[in-house]
Amino acid sequence: MSVADSYPEASMATHPFFPPDLELPGYVANPTSVPILLALFAAGVGFVFSATVILARAVQASISKGKLYTAMWFMLCGCIHLFFEGYFAYHNAEMPARIDVFGQLWKEYSKSDHRYLTRDAFTVCMETVTAVAWGPLSFLIGWLTIKDHPLRYPLQLIVSLGQFYGDVLYMGIFFFDEAVHGAVFCRPERFYFWVYYVMMNGFWFVIPGWLIFEAVVECTKALRLAQEVGKRASPKSQ
Amino acid sequence: MSVADSYPEASMATHPFFPPDLELPGYVANPTSVPILLALFAAGVGFVFSATVILARAVQASISKGKLYTAMWFMLCGCIHLFFEGYFAYHNAEMPARIDVFGQLWKEYSKSDHRYLTRDAFTVCMETVTAVAWGPLSFLIGWLTIKDHPLRYPLQLIVSLGQFYGDVLYMGIFFFDEAVHGAVFCRPERFYFWVYYVMMNGFWFVIPGWLIFEAVVECTKALRLAQEVGKRASPKSQ
């Protein structure tokens, strides 16, 4: 069953978002094809990963694989949060009309979530925090990981939890609004829901979930050691 | 200028929330007076604080003031998150009709924020996470603080950041929705805005803000010490 079958008004829609009668003042269709947009995004990811590997190996030749992957992840997060999500936070009032590469990428993604085109209060606030706080901190963590700095794990815990919690609310509201208020934000095709919405956001559950666990374990180990060292130094005061 | 002057429909309102024409199916007015409701809440807070002090001194007679205050804070947070906010998360569909003590307290607070009466998706999702995750973890942190356990600071960082970030989004959306979409959730009297909305939620900025800072400092100190111990133990492998 096609969209047009379930929603007769879809055939008259002036935009590809859902629901078809959603009003998007100033909307301009993307001039660039989807494969080219996705290739540009993938090229950006590849560039950030490559630059991080080169930088990390130059600063610490013997860096472990685990630290290298963590640094790559946070440098990518820094770029996506500060530049891509920062772009949305800054231009939230005029997203339907924007046709530069970031504007087109956001409109393509919005097929799975129209809240990025309608100044949804939660989406704008969450993305603003992500851009302003998690963005710069992600770059800092990437650098601290390469340098093996003790501040790395506490900041890793902060940013990963911020990403994880933001994602939980982002998805929770999506499903709650549909179940309770009948508000649907995603096109009905499985592709947009599973690939754009679930898979893209799924990365920010799985990887931060692991990094939260790792940071808790590392901090707890160090705090236990510090207690033992403290006890050995002054056994009577304990 | 009274509410009735600015909003003629206020004089016909069937409930004390804002805007006066807000629809609240099943609404039942609070039978208990505001001073009694607030006194009951204050008595609950006093009981939790007293019980924590007695428990903490019984388990660790020489507990420092800082740790005692932290334990009191987290035991209070545990009760508020799990029982009071859990009550809202569980009963979110029928809040306007509820007249037990928690239901009446939520309706009194809702004079500063009607989202607690309308199944607002963000509010329900955020409160559900708060009740289910931060609630039990707060009790655990209170206990770990009394026992001086090394897991305390990593969990303190997680819960305090969760509270802080939840509060930022909660207030950010409140102001964004008013500024951009003209949606007003609070009665116009200064008392409800400043005392209920700003002051009550302000606690969850200031105290978690300090506890985040403390946890980052303590974890970083311990991680630095662990690095130094590691270097001393095997100087060549570093």
Side-chain angles (χ1 to χ4, degrees), chain B residues 3-234:
Chain B
V3 186
D5 291 334
S6 321
Y7 301 89
E9 67 272 35
S11 54
M12 293 149 42
T14 54
H15 60 66
F17 309 103
F18 198 85
D21 58 351
L22 181 71
E23 282 186 34
L24 296 175
Y27 169 71
V28 180
N30 276 355
T32 310
S33 75
V34 175
I36 289 176
L37 286 174
L38 297 184
L40 284 169
F41 188 80
V45 172
F47 174 79
V48 175
F49 280 166
S50 310
T52 306
V53 172
I54 292 167
L55 173 76
R57 292 241 163 95
V59 174
Q60 203 186 97
S62 63
I63 190 168
S64 71
K65 271 193 184 168
K67 280 181 190 160
L68 185 60
Y69 292 153
T70 303
M72 289 163 72
W73 166 253
F74 278 110
M75 291 302 193
L76 180 66
C77 284
C79 289
I80 292 179
H81 294 339
L82 189 60
F83 302 122
F84 189 57
E85 292 172 273
Y87 175 98
F88 164 74
Y90 187 76
H91 293 297
N92 75 79
E94 63 223 41
M95 289 304 286
R98 298 207 63 93
I99 51 163
D100 46 28
V101 173
F102 279 3
Q104 292 194 63
L105 277 167
W106 273 121
K107 273 190 283 182
E108 180 59 22
Y109 175 75
S110 297
K111 290 177 182 169
S112 79
D113 187 356
H114 80 228
R115 289 179 290 180
Y116 281 88
L117 302 174
T118 55
R119 308 193 78 185
D120 172 72
F122 165 76
T123 309
V124 175
C125 290
M126 181 272 288
E127 290 291 9
T128 303
V129 173
T130 300
V132 172
W134 313 150
L137 280 175
S138 291
F139 286 122
L140 180 59
I141 297 166
W143 179 246
L144 296 175
T145 302
I146 295 170
K147 295 292 283 179
D148 222 359
H149 192 283
L151 195 53
R152 170 205 158 179
Y153 285 116
L155 294 187
Q156 175 175 315
L157 185 48
I158 287 177
V159 170
S160 299
L161 184 77
Q163 295 169 323
F164 191 91
Y165 187 20
D167 217 4
V168 167
L169 292 176
Y170 176 67
M171 298 199 116
I173 292 168
F174 180 95
F175 293 113
F176 186 89
D177 256 338
E178 175 161 358
V180 170
H181 300 296
V184 180
F185 305 128
C186 180
R187 283 185 65 89
E189 295 90 345
R190 283 182 193 164
F191 173 79
Y192 295 113
F193 178 72
W194 287 104
V195 177
Y196 284 13
Y197 196 80
V198 174
M199 196 187 81
M200 294 302 286
N201 293 298
F203 286 120
W204 275 271
F205 274 116
V206 176
I207 300 173
W210 162 255
L211 293 170
I212 290 167
F213 175 76
E214 184 194 36
V216 168
V217 168
E218 292 298 325
C219 288
T220 307
K221 275 199 316 203
L223 286 156
R224 180 171 289 128
L225 179 72
Q227 279 188 342
E228 284 164 9
V229 171
K231 272 181 200 159
R232 256 179 275 152
S234 57

Side-chain angles (χ1 to χ4, degrees), chain A:
Chain A
M1 198 167 76
S2 76
V3 186
D5 292 335
S6 320
Y7 301 89
E9 66 272 37
S11 54
M12 292 149 41
T14 54
H15 61 66
F17 309 104
F18 197 85
D21 59 352
L22 180 70
E23 282 186 33
L24 297 175
Y27 169 70
V28 180
N30 277 354
T32 310
S33 75
V34 175
I36 289 177
L37 286 175
L38 297 184
L40 284 169
F41 188 78
V45 172
F47 174 79
V48 175
F49 280 166
S50 309
T52 306
V53 172
I54 292 167
L55 174 75
R57 293 243 162 95
V59 173
Q60 201 185 98
S62 63
I63 190 169
S64 71
K65 269 192 185 170
K67 280 181 190 161
L68 185 60
Y69 292 153
T70 303
M72 289 163 73
W73 166 254
F74 277 110
M75 291 302 193
L76 179 66
C77 285
C79 288
I80 291 178
H81 293 340
L82 189 60
F83 302 123
F84 189 56
E85 292 173 273
Y87 175 97
F88 165 74
Y90 187 76
H91 292 298
N92 75 81
E94 64 224 38
M95 288 304 287
R98 298 205 65 89
I99 51 164
D100 46 29
V101 173
F102 278 4
Q104 291 194 64
L105 277 167
W106 273 122
K107 273 190 283 181
E108 180 58 22
Y109 175 75
S110 297
K111 290 177 182 170
S112 79
D113 186 356
H114 80 228
R115 289 178 290 179
Y116 281 88
L117 302 174
T118 56
R119 309 193 77 185
D120 172 73
F122 165 75
T123 308
V124 174
C125 291
M126 180 271 288
E127 290 291 11
T128 302
V129 172
T130 300
V132 171
W134 314 150
L137 280 175
S138 291
F139 285 121
L140 180 59
I141 297 166
W143 178 245
L144 295 175
T145 303
I146 295 171
K147 295 292 283 180
D148 222 359
H149 192 283
L151 194 53
R152 170 206 159 177
Y153 285 116
L155 294 187
Q156 175 176 317
L157 185 48
I158 288 176
V159 171
S160 298
L161 184 77
Q163 295 169 323
F164 191 90
Y165 187 20
D167 217 5
V168 167
L169 292 175
Y170 175 68
M171 298 198 116
I173 292 168
F174 180 94
F175 293 113
F176 186 89
D177 256 338
E178 175 160 359
V180 171
H181 300 297
V184 181
F185 305 129
C186 180
R187 284 185 66 89
E189 295 89 347
R190 284 182 192 165
F191 173 78
Y192 295 113
F193 178 71
W194 288 106
V195 178
Y196 284 12
Y197 196 79
V198 175
M199 196 187 81
M200 295 303 285
N201 292 297
F203 286 120
W204 274 270
F205 275 116
V206 177
I207 300 174
W210 162 254
L211 292 170
I212 290 167
F213 176 76
E214 184 194 36
V216 168
V217 168
E218 292 298 326
C219 289
T220 306
K221 275 198 318 203
L223 286 156
R224 181 171 290 127
L225 179 72
Q227 280 188 341
E228 285 165 9
V229 170
K231 271 180 202 160
R232 256 179 274 154
S234 59
K236 281 183 188 167
S237 73
Q238 298 296 314

